[in-house]
Structure formats: C-alpha cells, structure tokens
Amino acid sequence: DAKTTQPPSMDCAEGRAANLPCNHSTISGNEYVYWYRQIHSQGPQYIIHGLKNNETNEMASLIITEDRKSSTLILPHATLRDTAVYYCIVPNQTNFGNEKLTFGTGTRLTIIP
Amino acid sequence: GAVVSQHPSRVICKSGTSVKIECRSLDFQATTMFWYRQFPKQSLMLMATSNEGSKATYEQGVEKDKFLINHASLTLSTLTVTSAHPEDSSFYICSARDDGSLSFHSYTFGSGTRLTVV
C-alpha cells in the first residue's frame, strides 16, 4: 500500500470545521484515497473516497491536491459524535483483484464542547 | 447502504476452547472478506483475506491453524479461534468487499466481536 502519514491527534471545537490532513506522497495514478473512522469499540465506518477530483457527500468533503500527494478530510460542522479515530488509506491497486485495506495509526480527533 | 452483520458482539470463553465468529454481508455479495484484530489503543491489524470457495490468505505471523477461516458462500465468512488462550483476547473485526464494485472497491465493516479468554 502507498504509505500514508497523519498527525496522531487533533482537537476541534464543536460546531467548527475539522480539517484532517493526510500525506500520501507515493500514491500511484490509479490509486484511490479512502477515509474511514472508528468510534470507540465499533467497526470502522466508511466516510468518503476520491481519486483526483474533490468529493463531497453528506458526511464530509475530501480535498485532494493536484499532485495527489496529500489530501484533507473536512467535517464542515463537527459535533461531539464525530469524536473518533480517522484513517486515511491508500490501498495498493496495481493488482485490482488483490486489493486490501491496511490501517495505519490514524488521527484521533476529539471534538471539544 | 451496504451492511455487514458480525456475530457475536461479545464472547467470553474458557482457555483451551474454540470460538467461532460469523461475518455476513446482508445486501450484497462478497467473494472477498477480511479479518482484522485490534488490541487496546492500537490500530486494526489485518489477519487474513477470506476468499469464497478457496483457501484464505494469511498475513505474515498469523497462524493459520489457530485462526481457521471458512468462506463457504458469497455472503458468509467465519473465523474460528481454536484452543483460545488469554493472549487471544482482542477485538476481532470483519470486512466485506462488494462484488458489485467497478472502478473502486467498496468495503463495509462489521461491528466487531470482543473476545475475552479466561
């Protein structure tokens, strides 16, 4: 998998936008960036994915730099329920059928009331 | 959206016994499923890739005879922890990859199984 680097922890005030960065400088041209989050003692939850263009869904926005070497996940109006560990993952897609998700250490986001 | 059901959510077993964990994709087919293990305050560690109708592929360092995986249908994979010991106590999580994915893969995770071996 392309290596990803994330800050170990971040705090964000409730109601503000949470911006979570991720570096993936070794990403290949056809590899997607996935974001998942894990709330304590639960399975990971899919948030969003992207290839080249910025993406937005009901949960978040994903901004990918033009060179694709980094991305930022944006939670526009953070709530206390967004407190979780956020994982940025770039699975190796050189062999599409054997792709798998491996998790790094992620960013522990704490939303502060 | 896609749902993966994992059962049981919690299990306590005696040392030396075996425990089976089930992972079902409820509304999609999954030729490929994955099993992870997570220790407290650590990230998820991939244990094995489960393929329907064939042998599972284990990650380096994971004992295949201890963690038996069966993927007999397109919607069900099971993980059996054999002869469990206290050090096997962990949070086990499965994931299923949607066969309907085209250009990118859609992965859905179960809610996890907390195994405690006493």
Side-chain angles (χ1 to χ4, degrees):
Chain A
D1 295 0
K3 180 178 172 58
T4 61
T5 304
Q6 299 177 254
S9 64
M10 292 181 63
D11 292 340
C12 177
E14 186 179 17
R16 304 296 295 270
N19 296 278
L20 292 91
C22 179
N23 287 320
H24 32 78
S25 59
T26 61
I27 194 170
S28 297
N30 61 345
E31 292 177 334
Y32 282 81
V33 180
Y34 293 77
W35 282 83
Y36 283 77
R37 73 180 182 184
Q38 185 180 27
I39 296 170
H40 183 62
S41 294
Q42 297 182 24
Q45 176 190 24
Y46 166 81
I47 301 173
I48 200 167
H49 74 279
L51 182 62
K52 296 180 182 178
N53 300 319
N54 297 337
E55 302 288 345
T56 296
N57 62 21
E58 64 277 5
M59 290 183 67
S61 294
L62 175 60
I63 308 298
I64 302 174
T65 57
E66 192 168 341
D67 63 8
R68 302 211 324 120
K69 293 184 177 182
S70 65
S71 60
T72 301
L73 179 74
I74 302 173
L75 307 178
H77 305 287
T79 70
L80 298 179
R81 288 176 295 181
D82 292 321
T83 292
V85 179
Y86 287 76
Y87 296 98
C88 166
I89 304 170
V90 179
N92 188 336
Q93 208 163 355
T94 56
N95 187 341
F96 188 69
N98 290 329
E99 182 193 85
K100 53 192 177 184
L101 295 185
T102 54
F103 288 74
T105 54
T107 295
R108 182 173 298 278
L109 175 66
T110 302
I111 306 303
I112 300 171
Chain B
V3 177
V4 169
S5 174
Q6 187 173 340
H7 181 80
S9 58
R10 289 179 177 272
V11 58
I12 301 173
C13 72
K14 291 185 178 181
S15 187
T17 62
S18 297
V19 173
K20 180 185 286 188
I21 303 169
E22 291 188 348
C23 180
R24 293 180 184 273
S25 57
L26 297 187
D27 49 3
F28 64 96
Q29 292 186 334
T31 300
T32 305
M33 294 187 179
F34 305 88
W35 288 96
Y36 296 82
R37 179 169 53 182
Q38 185 175 34
F39 292 108
K41 298 187 178 181
Q42 294 186 21
S43 186
L44 285 78
M45 185 194 79
L46 180 65
M47 299 174 66
T49 301
S50 167
N51 298 294
E52 187 268 337
S54 64
K55 291 183 179 180
T57 303
Y58 290 82
E59 297 297 305
Q60 190 172 9
V62 178
E63 298 176 59
K64 60 182 179 182
D65 294 331
K66 180 169 185 63
F67 298 99
L68 300 179
I69 292 173
N70 184 280
H71 193 157
S73 78
L74 290 175
T75 59
L76 174 65
S77 176
T78 60
L79 170 69
T80 301
V81 182
T82 63
S83 187
H85 291 286
E87 57 265 31
D88 297 323
S89 297
S90 187
F91 192 51
Y92 292 85
I93 306 167
C94 72
S95 172
R97 187 166 74 197
D98 189 347
D99 284 349
S101 302
L102 296 176
S103 60
F104 77 95
H105 278 140
S106 171
Y107 299 84
T108 304
F109 287 80
S111 55
T113 297
R114 175 79 55 194
L115 170 63
T116 303
V117 185
V118 298

